[in-house]
């Protein structure tokens, strides 16, 4: 299908908080630029939170101190994220798939076909701030009690597309490493 953003591409698949609303048109170029810059910053911040602390050539004692500080900072961030998620009204987590070109989700409510949507997607559980994305609903399918909506993104900057693709790749890499670890454990127990 020509509108399928997932054809021959890696996708991020999970249940994440997502909300959408139909809009008449995309925001003005200046506003889109601001939204894209905020999305890029959020994706970079999320990437920084996900990356493990790398060892340095510093002294062993200094490396241990950095690890202690990193652990403390991670704990503070987790507590803050938990508090913020209880304070705010996060949308419900929906089964979804996305990459740098589009998103699909299952929900009892689906937008009308061929409409422009404003999406808020929470991709980083330890940092409950959403990406704000715009797209066009290109397909709806009846999935029983839940419909499936497919949206192709509109007006994303190259930095946002790249950030989303890196997020998808990091997720895929973790899943492959986890699968390899499970296979190794299975082989060791045989």
């Amino acid at each position: 299908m020509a509108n399928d953003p997932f054809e021959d591409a890696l996708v991020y698949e999970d249940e994440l908080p997502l909300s959408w609303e139909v809009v008449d048109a995309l925001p003005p170029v200046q506003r889109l630029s601001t939204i894209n810059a905020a999305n890029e910053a959020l994706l970079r911040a999320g990437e920084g939170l996900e990356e493990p602390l790398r060892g340095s050539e510093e002294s062993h004692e200094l490396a241990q101190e950095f690890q202690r500080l990193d652990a403390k900072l991670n704990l503070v961030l987790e507590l803050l994220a938990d508090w913020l998620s209880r304070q705010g009204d996060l949308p419900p987590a929906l089964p979804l798939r996305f990459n740098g070109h589009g998103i699909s989700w299952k929900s009892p409510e689906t937008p009308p076909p061929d409409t422009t949507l404003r999406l808020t997607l929470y991709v980083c559980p330890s940092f409950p701030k959403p990406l704000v994305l715009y797209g066009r609903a290109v397909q709806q399918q009846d999935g029983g009690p839940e419909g499936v909506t497919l949206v192709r993104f509109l007006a994303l900057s190259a930095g946002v597309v790249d950030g989303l693709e890196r997020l998808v790749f990091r997720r895929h890499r973790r899943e492959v490493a986890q699968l390899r670890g499970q296979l190794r454990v299975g082989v060791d127990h045989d």
Side-chain angles (χ1 to χ4, degrees), residues 37-75:
N39 286 338
E40 288 176 31
L42 179 60
L43 288 164
R44 279 192 309 274
E47 192 171 332
L49 291 173
E50 287 182 5
E51 289 300 313
L53 184 65
R54 290 186 175 86
S56 68
E57 296 179 13
E58 302 291 328
S59 74
H60 181 66
E61 290 174 8
L62 188 56
Q64 284 182 329
E65 186 60 27
F66 279 134
Q67 287 177 337
R68 280 193 291 274
L69 288 173
D70 187 52
K72 289 176 183 179
L73 185 57
N74 284 338
L75 177 61

Side-chain angles (χ1 to χ4, degrees), residues 1 4-11 97 99 101 152 165 168:
M1 166 195 335
D4 187 356
F6 307 129
E7 189 173 334
D8 299 326
L10 291 177
V11 295
R97 301 167 34 150
N99 63 20
H101 305 287
R152 180 169 274 294
E165 293 296 334
V168 170

Side-chain angles (χ1 to χ4, degrees), residues 8-13 43 47 50-51 54 98-101 123 160-178 180:
D8 299 326
L10 291 177
V11 295
Y12 188 112
E13 193 164 352
L43 288 164
E47 192 171 332
E50 287 182 5
E51 289 300 313
R54 290 186 175 86
F98 70 89
N99 63 20
H101 305 287
V123 295
V160 172
V161 172
D162 187 52
L164 287 170
E165 293 296 334
R166 284 194 317 271
L167 175 65
V168 170
F169 180 75
R170 286 191 314 273
R171 173 68 177 252
H172 174 71
R173 187 176 61 198
R174 278 193 306 272
E175 289 172 353
V176 168
Q178 184 177 7
R180 284 184 181 154

Side-chain angles (χ1 to χ4, degrees), residues 15-31:
E15 289 189 14
L16 295 172
L18 171 74
S19 67
W20 57 268
E21 66 178 317
V22 175
V23 294
D24 294 330
L26 292 174
V29 173
Q30 297 87 350
R31 180 73 186 127

